[in-house]
Amino acid sequence: MDKDIFELVREINATVSVCKQWAVSNIPQNGLSQARMYTLIYLRDNGSSPMRDLKNFLGTSPTNITGLVDGLEQDGFVTRVADPEDRRVTRIVITDSGKRRLKNDWQQYEANCAQSLKGLDKLSRQKILSALTELRLQIQHTD
């Protein structure tokens, strides 16, 4: 393999690390935590989910996902419902209150993120967006 591919791997790993810190730092104060936000996004986009799928999506333990869902349920952002096809499975569903909270927090989060990127000119933003999209698609197709 070409030496530059290893340099690219190192730069991707360094960038991912910085991006994780950047993402957390842009979460609105008194807003949803990153884990809560990602859980609600997943439920919004998938309609409902068994705990197992949420655990896999977030890459966390069953204990952590149970605590996360318990907290979201206590705050009225999700509810547990029986799976119509398998009585042994409980599905997690985002509530209207959860959708509203996610929408408000996500808008603030995006605004915070955008503020920190405003120093990039339009051409730079377009090039970065194109490169990130290409990278994401490449990684997705190799899995």
Side-chain angles (χ1 to χ4, degrees):
M1 276 194 225
D2 292 335
K3 186 177 178 180
D4 68 324
I5 201 144
F6 293 106
E7 186 178 339
L8 178 59
V9 169
R10 286 189 292 275
E11 185 57 35
I12 289 169
N13 284 320
T15 300
V16 166
S17 177
V18 169
C19 285
K20 284 180 180 180
Q21 294 169 9
W22 172 75
V24 170
S25 73
N26 282 295
I27 292 173
Q29 288 187 348
N30 302 318
L32 295 166
S33 69
Q34 188 177 32
R36 282 177 157 223
M37 194 177 301
Y38 287 151
T39 299
L40 293 178
I41 288 169
Y42 182 84
L43 293 170
R44 179 201 63 200
D45 294 348
N46 291 284
S48 69
S49 174
M51 297 276 273
R52 169 187 71 257
D53 292 354
L54 278 173
K55 176 188 75 70
N56 294 338
F57 172 73
L58 293 171
T60 191
S61 70
T63 302
N64 284 344
I65 200 65
T66 298
L68 181 63
V69 170
D70 286 349
L72 287 167
E73 185 176 38
Q74 189 173 32
D75 290 342
F77 298 146
V78 302
T79 187
R80 289 175 162 97
V81 297
D83 188 307
E85 297 175 14
D86 187 345
R87 294 183 344 203
R88 298 168 298 171
V89 175
T90 299
R91 299 188 73 82
I92 310 306
V93 180
I94 188 170
T95 63
D96 288 341
S97 176
K99 288 176 186 174
R100 284 190 301 274
R101 179 62 185 265
L102 175 62
K103 181 179 178 184
N104 291 339
D105 280 19
W106 187 257
Q107 287 174 341
Q108 183 61 53
Y109 172 75
E110 282 191 325
N112 293 348
C113 290
Q115 182 69 22
S116 66
L117 298 174
K118 70 179 187 177
L120 295 169
D121 64 67
K122 187 170 184 155
L123 181 59
S124 294
R125 291 192 309 263
Q126 289 171 342
K127 286 179 180 179
I128 293 167
L129 179 60
S130 177
L132 288 172
T133 301
E134 184 178 354
L135 175 63
R136 179 180 48 80
L137 293 173
Q138 175 64 38
I139 292 170
Q140 284 176 330
H141 292 340
T142 58
D143 284 346

